[in-house]
Amino acid sequence: DIQMTQSPSTLSASVGDRVTITCRASQSISSWLAWYQQKPGTAPKLLIYRASSLESGVPSRFSGSGSGTQFTLTISSLQPDDFATYYCQQYNSYSPITFGQGTRLEIK
Amino acid sequence: EVQLVQSGAEVKKPGESLKISCKGSGYTFTNYWIAWVRQMPGKGLEWMGIIYPGDSDTRYSPSFQGQVTISADKSISTAYLQWSSLKASDAAMYYCARGSGCSSGCFMDYWGQGTLVTVSS
C-alpha cells in the first residue's frame, strides 16, 4: 500500500492567516493527488485534483502544489468557512487508493 | 445536476445481513466509477473499493476484500454495498462517491450524503 502522511495533524490559525498543509507519499505518485475538505456531519468535498488543479466552484484562495512524494495544500487567507478537516488522497494505484489521516484546522 | 443519493440509516444486530444503496442521477451512470468510503466515528476516511457500472469491473481494498460485496444495477443507476454478516466493528458512516480522472486510480468529485450503519446487540 502507498502510505499517505499529513502534517500537522492539527493546525490552529486565525482568519486572514496563510496556512499550509503537507502530505507525503511513501513512494512516488507522480501528480495523482487530490485534496478534500470535510466539515462535521457532512460528506467530503473535492478541492484539488491532479495535485494542483482547482475543482470548479472552489475559491481561488485554495491552491495545491507538488509532485512525486511531497505535496502541499495552501489557503492564502483563511476565511471562517475554512475551519474543517482536510484530507489528501493518492490515486496512483487502485491497490488500494489511500487517504492521509487528516489535518484538523481549528480557530486560534 | 450530478447527485448521488444514498439509502437511509440502518440499525442492525451482529450477524445480520445488510445492503445499502447509492443512486446516481444527472450524468451517464455507466461512464463513471462509483467508490465506497468508510468513516468510523471520529476517524478518517478509508477507501473500501470501487465499481465501474458499465461492465461491473470491481476493485477492493485488501482491508475490505472478502468482508463486503460491491455491486451495481445499471438499469436503475444504483450501486450497492453489502455485508453477509455484520460485526460491531462495521458500525460507521459509509459514503459512495463518483470516481473521476480515472487511470490507475480515481479521485472522487461527487459524494453521496452518507449512510450511517449502527450495529448493536
Side-chain angles (χ1 to χ4, degrees):
Chain A
D1 296 11
I2 298 173
Q3 307 300 320
M4 306 301 293
T5 304
Q6 290 181 230
S7 60
S9 295
T10 306
L11 179 56
S12 297
S14 302
V15 172
D17 284 354
R18 179 184 179 90
V19 299
T20 298
I21 299 168
T22 297
C23 180
R24 187 175 73 250
S26 60
Q27 65 188 73
S28 178
I29 57 169
S30 185
S31 295
W32 304 119
L33 185 100
W35 289 98
Y36 301 87
Q37 176 194 67
Q38 188 180 31
K39 297 180 182 178
T42 69
K45 172 188 173 185
L46 176 68
L47 299 175
I48 301 281
Y49 61 95
R50 205 160 181 179
S52 61
S53 296
L54 193 67
E55 173 69 349
S56 177
V58 174
S60 59
R61 63 181 179 273
F62 291 91
S63 63
S65 65
S67 66
T69 62
Q70 288 278 104
F71 302 87
T72 59
L73 173 71
T74 299
I75 309 172
S76 60
S77 179
L78 269 176
Q79 299 302 300
D81 191 47
D82 300 338
F83 293 95
T85 300
Y86 293 85
Y87 295 93
C88 62
Q89 175 233 324
Q90 67 81 16
Y91 56 104
N92 180 74
S93 167
Y94 284 119
S95 304
I97 286 170
T98 46
F99 291 93
Q101 81 278 16
T103 294
R104 184 183 173 197
L105 178 53
E106 57 183 33
I107 301 173
K108 185 184 284 185
Chain B
E1 179 195 8
V2 174
Q3 282 194 307
L4 295 172
V5 178
Q6 297 185 230
S7 50
E10 300 276 0
V11 179
K12 292 289 189 179
K13 291 181 167 53
E16 291 186 330
S17 64
L18 175 63
K19 190 173 189 177
I20 62 175
S21 66
C22 169
K23 182 173 177 61
S25 63
Y27 72 101
T28 302
F29 187 72
T30 50
N31 287 358
Y32 290 83
W33 295 77
I34 292 286
W36 287 95
V37 175
R38 182 175 80 173
Q39 188 166 38
M40 299 180 77
K43 302 298 184 183
L45 304 171
E46 300 174 90
W47 184 82
M48 302 176 71
I50 197 165
I51 188 166
Y52 189 73
D55 61 6
S56 294
D57 185 9
T58 308
R59 320 284 176 91
Y60 291 93
S61 166
S63 298
F64 293 94
Q65 178 87 47
Q67 308 305 307
V68 297
T69 302
I70 294 170
S71 61
D73 184 341
K74 60 186 179 183
S75 69
I76 55 171
S77 301
T78 300
Y80 301 96
L81 177 66
Q82 68 180 90
W83 296 258
S84 58
S85 180
L86 285 161
K87 309 180 188 67
S89 57
D90 292 319
M93 181 70 82
Y94 292 88
Y95 294 103
C96 65
R98 191 180 80 164
S100 193
C102 303
S103 51
S104 50
C106 307
F107 60 87
M108 279 76 80
D109 59 354
Y110 288 90
W111 293 67
Q113 81 279 18
T115 295
L116 182 64
V117 174
T118 302
V119 184
S120 175
S121 54

